[in-house]
Amino acid sequence: MHIHTRSVKHKVFEVWRSPGNFTKNPDVVQLKTGRLLLIYSDCDQHWSQVRQILTILASDDLGRTWFKLSEVHTAHIASGDERLVTPRLSYLSDGRLAALCDHNDFGHFHEDQPPGNWIWWSADDGITWDGPHANDILGFEPDRIIELPDGKLAVGSQVMRRESQEFAEVLSVSEDKGITWREFSTMAHNGYHRVCEGAVLVMDKGKTLACVMRENHSGGIPCLVVFSEDHGKTWSDPQICPFALHRPYAKQLADGRVLVTGRHVNGGLGTYGWVGDLRAEAGTYAVGGPRRKFSATLENGALVIENKAEHECRYGLLPPQDSFSEVLFEAEVKVDGPADAPLGFLSCGSLGSRTTKTVLIFGRNFIRLGEGARTDVRSEVDLTYYRRLTLHHLQGLLQVRLDDKVLIQECIYHSDFVPVDFHGGRPEVRTQFGQYGNTGRSIWRDVKYETKNRTLDDFAWTWQGASGQYPDQYQRDRLIQIHSNHPDQKPWPDHGYSSWLPLEDGRIFLVDYTNLGDAPGTSHLVGLYLEPEDLR
């Protein structure tokens, strides 16, 4: 009974507390002297209502202990100042430090709204700061300022495009050491994916740029990545990544692999890491695993899920593009439990607008489409032995089949793609299968899922229990749980805007924020050291 086999959360230690306050979104760099500097936003709460202080911490023992060095800027929200969101810190080759932070009061989202990103500069290793300096970096949630191989300074940010009313991830550059900025290229924008929080990294000794992006619909959609071979002028089409992280933070390691960390949203809650060959694995989809405690074992060529209170064994898949997609979702499964108790389910997101019709719930003696009480969408069946259940959607007609016999049919009206996250534990908001209820068990021998889309790539996934692997085996093997946060944390689990840097001794120092165990409205900073063996 576990979330993932790879975890380093036992190494986490406390970095900083600001009593009664929320310590938000840290970013860390190392100076030529060896000192580490960290910027974070010291707030009255996550979404500040009173005041924020962009604060610089320093460490002279490689991150083990910290002291306050300086304050970059104070925003008095209650007095009318604009709210600041996510500060980023850069240490440039000329010895300057750049602190960059966005205003995110819905006044800078759109490309026709004024830029809202400010820059502060320090020439004395962070002791004093000059600014804020307004600039023409569009949008919000910028990445840190980086130096491109051709000498330009560059930063990624997200902005809504007028023609699609959807986000684009754009690259802005400066050719005069950060005095003036201009939009240089669009890294990703297709009017469907809600790309944001891109991490721009230089790879292969300057030959390649990559941008790893959060996909803000979530709902089973993972991160996306694009590549540039001409210093950011043009970019490849977006490809899915085998991880789903909010605010991905990415760099290439000395051995050529890329490490990406961030808030995990397609499985166990917490901050996770992925390390691998980013280019080779671009286009790979990894099935999402359970987000909390679960009980699942492989026995006799099948996956046995034991339903228990406070357990949630559900596996997530890539949703279809929209309600015009054809979907085939089927499983060979049997159940054991009390009569009339729901024991398992299949669900398909993005067909219709937040509809409950696309949830197939089943128990020992019934199958039911949707979560309502209508009797015409329920059929009496015997699922005490292996049966093949199928959800098939084609051109607005949703059919439920049992061993190839159609038992239930529903019409699905077209709608925009609105994948939403879990609220109250309802399964229909994602494309999933697994546990439903707190009693009995379900035994799954195989699962097959296919979707044919209008403009996005088609998707197909199959799994057999006889393979000896769990449906989320990739996540079990490849994702690293850095630190966790229980889904019932009040008011909600809050963490995952991580930052890290490699140290000369081969370790990686990582810093993040978390509200684990804190009073509502507060958080603290945590850190840990990743050893080389943690990344194997």
Side-chain angles (χ1 to χ4, degrees):
M1 183 185 302
H2 54 280
I3 296 297
H4 289 288
T5 56
R6 304 186 67 193
S7 175
V8 293
K9 64 181 182 179
H10 61 282
K11 298 183 175 185
V12 173
F13 60 90
E14 185 175 304
V15 163
W16 192 258
R17 284 187 184 272
S18 180
N21 291 330
F22 198 99
T23 56
K24 187 176 180 182
N25 302 350
D27 198 14
V28 64
V29 299
Q30 186 171 31
L31 305 180
K32 294 176 182 178
T33 62
R35 170 175 282 185
L36 304 189
L37 294 185
L38 178 157
I39 192 171
Y40 80 95
S41 182
D42 193 298
C43 311
D44 55 281
Q45 58 182 283
H46 183 113
W47 193 246
S48 181
Q49 302 298 315
V50 181
R51 66 102 187 96
Q52 296 172 274
I53 304 173
L54 300 187
T55 304
I56 300 293
L57 305 180
S59 173
D60 291 324
D61 57 6
L62 298 179
R64 179 58 63 178
T65 61
W66 295 81
F67 61 93
K68 184 175 177 177
L69 181 68
S70 61
E71 295 179 1
V72 178
H73 184 79
T74 299
H76 296 281
I77 313 303
S79 299
D81 289 346
E82 279 199 84
R83 184 177 290 109
L84 299 170
V85 183
T86 302
R88 300 309 250 171
L89 189 62
S90 302
Y91 186 51
L92 305 180
S93 60
D94 61 9
R96 293 182 300 159
L97 286 162
L100 174 65
C101 194
D102 56 325
H103 298 89
N104 196 358
D105 274 339
F106 306 101
H108 311 283
F109 277 41
H110 198 279
E111 63 180 327
D112 292 330
Q113 291 177 307
N117 298 295
W118 284 357
I119 302 176
W120 296 260
W121 300 96
S122 175
D124 57 5
D125 290 349
I127 298 173
T128 62
W129 293 87
D130 175 45
H133 296 277
N135 53 75
D136 290 323
I137 298 172
L138 289 176
F140 62 106
E141 289 284 5
D143 191 23
R144 58 168 51 181
I145 296 171
I146 66 170
E147 296 176 276
L148 298 183
D150 61 4
K152 296 186 186 75
L153 298 182
V155 62
S157 60
Q158 65 206 49
V159 65
M160 178 179 280
R161 293 299 196 198
R162 62 178 76 92
E163 72 271 17
S164 65
Q165 299 178 38
E166 193 52 88
F167 284 162
E169 189 72 23
V170 299
L171 188 71
S172 298
V173 300
S174 174
E175 297 172 285
D176 54 11
K177 298 186 177 181
I179 298 173
T180 62
W181 294 81
R182 63 184 174 90
E183 184 179 338
F184 186 60
S185 62
T186 297
M187 293 185 284
H189 173 241
N190 61 13
Y192 175 86
H193 290 112
R194 189 158 295 168
V195 291
C196 61
E197 296 182 354
V200 182
L201 62 152
V202 180
M203 298 174 54
D204 306 329
K205 298 180 179 180
K207 296 179 181 179
T208 302
L209 297 181
C211 183
V212 180
M213 297 162 285
R214 165 178 174 170
E215 209 291 336
N216 206 34
H217 285 119
S218 296
I221 303 178
C223 288
L224 299 167
V225 63
V226 291
F227 299 94
S228 174
E229 312 296 339
D230 54 9
H231 304 311
K233 185 177 181 180
T234 61
W235 295 82
S236 64
D237 291 334
Q239 295 176 274
I240 59 175
C241 297
F243 48 83
L245 302 173
H246 284 184
R247 193 66 183 196
Y249 188 89
K251 288 193 185 95
Q252 190 170 39
L253 304 177
D255 62 10
R257 295 180 301 164
V258 170
L259 172 62
V260 188
T261 61
R263 179 193 300 139
H264 189 34
V265 292
N266 203 16
L269 290 188
T271 295
Y272 279 63
W274 175 91
V275 62
D277 187 330
L278 184 61
R279 187 183 288 277
E281 297 203 50
T284 301
Y285 184 81
V287 171
R291 68 169 187 164
R292 63 168 72 207
K293 289 191 300 183
F294 67 96
S295 179
T297 56
L298 291 170
E299 301 175 17
N300 302 319
L303 175 72
V304 181
I305 298 176
E306 299 284 350
N307 294 353
K308 300 179 181 180
E310 298 184 358
H311 284 49
E312 189 180 272
C313 188
R314 295 169 176 169
Y315 299 93
L317 292 159
L318 188 70
Q321 178 177 352
D322 53 32
S323 55
F324 290 93
S325 299
E326 180 180 2
V327 179
L328 181 68
F329 197 179
E330 60 183 33
E332 189 173 4
V333 61
K334 65 180 181 178
V335 297
D336 180 22
D340 290 322
L343 303 174
F345 79 99
L346 305 174
S347 67
C348 190
S350 74
L351 298 182
S353 180
R354 302 174 186 254
T355 179
T356 66
K357 291 181 179 180
T358 60
V359 189
L360 177 60
I361 301 167
F362 53 88
R364 193 183 77 187
N365 60 334
F366 75 92
I367 59 174
R368 186 178 76 229
L369 191 61
E371 293 190 307
R374 288 172 50 194
T375 58
D376 60 332
V377 293
R378 172 181 167 128
S379 290
E380 305 304 316
V381 298
D382 182 0
L383 287 180
T384 60
Y385 62 97
Y386 280 117
R387 311 291 297 269
R388 183 157 297 278
L389 293 174
T390 302
L391 273 175
H392 183 214
H393 173 263
L394 178 62
Q395 298 175 335
L397 179 62
L398 181 68
Q399 295 183 330
V400 177
R401 298 197 291 264
L402 178 67
D403 298 333
D404 294 324
K405 180 181 179 181
V406 176
L407 297 184
I408 302 172
Q409 301 189 72
E410 279 280 353
C411 289
I412 301 297
Y413 297 95
H414 74 84
S415 68
D416 293 332
F417 176 52
V418 189
V420 292
D421 211 337
F422 276 99
H423 293 286
R426 299 176 66 167
E428 77 277 12
V429 296
R430 290 177 182 254
T431 301
Q432 293 186 309
F433 68 94
Q435 176 181 346
Y436 198 107
N438 299 324
T439 185
R441 63 177 184 165
S442 55
I443 303 97
W444 306 73
R445 193 145 66 181
D446 65 61
V447 181
K448 178 181 180 180
Y449 171 75
E450 297 178 355
T451 178
K452 296 179 180 179
N453 300 312
R454 289 190 293 172
T455 59
L456 297 183
D457 290 340
D458 297 339
F459 178 79
W461 177 80
T462 59
W463 168 86
Q464 296 84 31
S467 68
Q469 295 191 329
Y470 289 87
D472 62 336
Q473 194 68 47
Y474 185 98
Q475 287 197 2
R476 289 168 172 255
D477 294 341
R478 296 293 302 280
L479 294 191
I480 306 165
Q481 188 184 55
I482 293 171
H483 67 88
S484 60
N485 209 345
H486 196 277
D488 293 332
Q489 165 78 27
K490 302 300 182 184
W492 61 79
D494 202 348
H495 51 261
Y497 276 41
S498 57
S499 176
W500 54 266
L501 53 82
L503 304 174
E504 289 186 359
D505 61 10
R507 296 179 300 165
I508 289 172
F509 173 73
L510 180 143
V511 65
D512 195 7
Y513 79 94
T514 180
N515 68 346
L516 179 63
D518 293 335
T522 68
S523 71
H524 62 286
L525 301 183
V526 294
L528 80 158
Y529 299 97
L530 292 170
E531 306 287 347
E533 55 265 27
D534 295 327
L535 303 179
R536 290 175 183 162

